[in-house]
Amino acid sequence: MQLLQTLTERGLLSESDRTRAAEAIKAAPEYPPHQVLVDKGFVKEEVLLPVLAQEFGLEQIDLTKTTIEKDVQAIIPQKLVHRKNLLPIARHNGTLVVAIGNPFDAYAIDEVQTITGLHVIPVLAPPREITRLIKQYYGVGGDTVAALAQERKVEEEDIEFLEALEADDSEMAKAAQEASVVRLVNQILVEAANERASDIHIECEETGLRIRYRIDGLLQEQKLPPEINRFQAAIISRLKIMARLNIAEKRLPQDGRIKMKVQGREIDVRVSIIPMIHGEGVVMRLLDKGRMTFDLKMCGMLPDIYSTFKQLIDRPHGIVLVTGPTGSGKSTTLYSALNEIKDETTKIITVEDPVEYNQPGICQIQTHAKIGLTFANALRSILRHDPDVILVGEIRDLETAEMAIHASLTGHMVFSTLHTNDAPSAFTRMIDMGVEPFLVSSTVEGVMAQRLVRTICPDCKTTYVPSLDEMPLDFPLRKGHPKAAPDVAIQRSILEMMNSGPVAEGKLWKGTGCRSCRQTGFRGRTGIHELLVTNDVIKDLVVQRVNAGVIRLEALKAGMITLRQDGWRKVLNGTTTIEEVARTTAGDIS
């Protein structure tokens, strides 16, 4: 309780909070006192750690700025590292510097000194940062892999399955159901959910197992202990059991689904397994329902595009298309659009393959091709249910396109997606499917093309002056190029951004890398958009079957902002970086 007294004396804890904090600490004797204070919200960790360091006479360090010596991890047994949550940092002349997160556990230091025979110098660091680095240096699930050879009871921590799992009595099933294998697979899923991963890739290679998480659109490899390769088959069998797949089938691709809760958040996992030359490859798409919000204002549209798109979706009939490659946020934009126009007087029906997120107030249908419930067949039946707004998950073929057009011509608002690289190509894509050009021109009201770019981490965001080599030819700040001149080709909003704030001084923003963003400089993603609104001239061009380039030129004359230009606007307002926009878009200069 000396800690509580010190915090109170320094004005970091009120008398009333001190009493409640003391009760909370007594009620959780299995946790360190300072962890209880932080978890219960009595005091912030960054405020508490300096007090702890002073009380115990320890040096406090920032692990994100500390160089950890190579091979020093092998000095302490892996089980002890995980059990006591400590990390060896450096070794010098018979001394070992160890980062600890719990200074109250004096036995941990004694145990390290006894095992290593070295004089241990403890330094204080945030427990969560120590845990992150343990996973980085020892591998995800390293403690579980070390325990696989031992028989011990392990709980399925942090995961609750929303459907009962079934398994037979085969040897493969028994191996997959061992407590340690169960825990290892759970740790992989929990780690992915906590790191905001959208996908987990488990790949069997000649040298062993490889696991990568897709975070903010890019794959990041996870360090794994080498012993995990022995349990490759058991891990994949466990995933098959969780996804209700046939664990004996190793020759054909299989698709399944896992419904579970991770730390109270409902997560839907789509599992795809494909046989490859060195074993079965597994890709899992994580749909974290607890973190998804479908708000059109949160999709990253700048005010001018948001205003125009809002006018489009408020129209009484017609077709609005959202285009882009897989994983470009099309479904999120459409769900957000539906939530924007949803009210008690509007009947909304969707046809999807599959239904990714359940939306209250919206009737959702999942296609089932094996029994004939295709997009087109579902659309025929939907029209008898008197909808006002219809969402078709994707226009894939002529039959679906014709049904969507029929629904539009009979007074319904239809939303759908297409796989095209830009907005003007949507018209030629539908005509290529076999739809009559006059039907396309009379029904398609607008097309939104989009991509996702990573956003700069707010915790380590800083300004810098970009060099000439960093700036592409069409970047607005680059001098001496016609595309950079202050004319109609560069939208008025870009000129306003260029003449205000740090940009007027030739400065941009970037992330330097910190704990919050895993040293990448980016955290989260946002959309960049290209919105084409159909006018009379564009309708005539569609009827004439002109190519997408001609439609694009006319749309630009009408004020369309390209994906690239919208990306530059988000660079100029400090949302993302030049490299991100250049990575995800093609240049406008031919």
Side-chain angles (χ1 to χ4, degrees), residues 18-19 52 72 91-92 172 200 208 281 293 337 351 356 456 516:
R18 177 180 175 178
T19 303
L52 274 178
V72 76
R91 178 179 180 175
H92 302 293
M172 284 188 295
I200 305 173
T293 55
V351 189
E356 293 186 342
I456 300 171
S516 302

Side-chain angles (χ1 to χ4, degrees), residues 424-443:
S425 300
F427 298 99
T428 53
R429 177 79 181 92
M430 291 189 73
I431 293 171
D432 288 343
M433 285 182 185
V435 182
E436 289 296 334
F438 75 90
L439 290 176
V440 176
S441 69
S442 60
T443 54

Side-chain angles (χ1 to χ4, degrees), residues 108-121:
I109 302 303
D110 293 339
E111 195 170 348
V112 173
Q113 290 190 149
T114 302
I115 290 173
T116 63
L118 300 171
H119 175 62
V120 175
I121 301 176

